[in-house]
Amino acid sequence: MLISGRGSNLRALLAACTDASYPAEVVSVVSDRVEAPGLAFAQSSGICSTTIPYRDRQTFATRVETLLRDQGVQLVCLAGFMRVLDAAFVEAWRDRIINIHPSLLPAFPGLRAQSQALAAGVRFTGCTVHFVRPEVDAGPILAQAVVPTRPDDDEATLSARILSVEHRVYPLAVRMIAEDRVQVVAGKVEIRGWRAPKLAMLNPREPLRRSPASGWSQTQVGL
Ligand code: GRF
C-alpha cells in the first residue's frame, strides 16, 4: 500500500486480513512521509514499512518499483497517497494499481472532494475505488458507495460519513480482485459472480404524509 497520512483505509484492510478466509494480505506499506501515522501503525502491526522521500516523480517510481519487485507485490493499493505517480510506472502496473477517492467519480476529482460536493449542493456523494491511470483520479471504476449529504454538513461531518463506507468498500474491492473476479474490458470493469444491490435511495426523503390511523408517517421507498 502507498500512503501519505492517517492510514484509516490501511487499518480497514489490515482488519479484513485478520479473517482467515480473506484472500489477500498486506505485505508492504510505503509512505512518502516519514511522519505518516499510518506508517507507524503498519510498523506496530509487523508489516514491512518503508519511507521513500519524494524528490521527483521518476526517482520515487524507480525506488518503489525495486521494492515492489523485491517483495513480490501483486497489487498496489493507494490510500491517501498524495503524490502523482510517474506515468511510465502507472503503465507498467496497468490494472494492478487501485485507488480510493472520496467522491462518486468522475464527479469531484482532485483535492477536497468533500468540499467540492458540498459547494455543488449534491444530494448524494460517496466514494470510488478505481484502477489508476496516469491522469489524476481517473480510470475504470471497480466499486462505489453512496452516502447522502445533510443540510447541516460541513467538510468534517461529510468526510467522516464517506470514510465509514470507504472502510467497507476498499476491502471488498481488494477481495474481488484477489478472487480473480475482475477484468477491465474496453475501459470498463466487469465483475464475475457478484450481485448488484437492490437498493433505491432518495434524498431528501419523500415528504411526510398524513394518515388517519398513524398520523404523519414516512413513505417507504424501495425496490
Ligand atoms: C480517504 O478519504 C481517501 O478516499 C483519500 O484520502 C483519504 C485517506 O484517508 N484518497 P486514510 O489515510 O486512509 O485515513
Side-chain angles (χ1 to χ4, degrees):
M1 289 193 77
L2 261 61
I3 64 167
S4 297
R6 180 178 51 190
S8 69
N9 280 289
L10 162 70
R11 282 173 183 246
L13 257 174
L14 288 175
C17 292
T18 60
D19 179 344
S21 68
Y22 195 74
E25 60 173 327
V26 178
V27 293
S28 182
V29 174
V30 174
S31 173
D32 59 313
R33 290 177 54 233
V34 69
E35 69 277 21
L39 195 67
F41 181 79
Q43 255 152 14
S44 69
S45 310
I47 311 288
C48 175
S49 310
T50 313
T51 304
I52 301 184
Y54 191 94
R55 296 208 182 85
D56 60 84
R57 266 185 214 177
Q58 214 176 341
T59 312
F60 184 83
T62 307
R63 290 196 58 190
V64 173
E65 177 74 52
T66 306
L67 192 121
L68 298 179
R69 218 178 312 116
D70 288 352
Q71 294 177 329
V73 167
Q74 292 172 293
L75 177 71
V76 178
C77 301
L78 311 183
F81 178 67
M82 300 304 286
R83 304 285 186 172
V84 177
L85 285 167
D86 177 57
F89 174 86
V90 171
E91 284 304 334
W93 283 81
R94 194 178 179 85
D95 299 344
R96 293 182 299 149
I97 314 183
I98 59 174
N99 179 44
I100 186 157
H101 182 77
S103 76
L104 296 173
L105 290 173
F108 315 130
L111 296 175
R112 303 189 66 188
Q114 303 92 336
S115 296
Q116 294 184 52
L118 290 175
V122 294
R123 297 289 179 189
F124 292 103
T125 181
C127 67
T128 302
V129 179
H130 64 97
F131 285 105
V132 173
R133 294 292 181 261
E135 305 76 41
V136 172
D137 297 328
I141 291 170
L142 183 50
Q144 293 185 305
V146 176
V147 303
T149 58
R150 293 191 182 140
D152 55 352
D153 265 336
D154 56 25
E155 188 177 6
T157 58
L158 182 58
S159 299
R161 195 173 313 121
I162 295 172
L163 205 58
S164 70
V165 293
E166 290 186 36
H167 296 161
R168 291 161 57 197
V169 171
Y170 216 12
L172 174 71
V174 171
R175 171 189 279 280
M176 291 190 299
I177 293 172
E179 289 178 351
D180 202 19
R181 295 171 183 276
V182 176
Q183 220 184 335
V184 180
V185 179
K188 288 190 200 166
V189 171
E190 288 182 2
I191 300 168
R192 286 187 300 274
W194 213 277
R195 280 178 299 132
K198 281 188 183 168
L199 189 65
M201 282 188 261
L202 206 53
N203 178 25
R205 290 185 176 176
E206 282 196 307
L208 297 179
R209 301 233 174 95
R210 201 187 242 310
S211 94
S214 58
W216 292 102
S217 67
Q218 191 81 48
T219 308
Q220 297 297 313
V221 184
L223 280 182

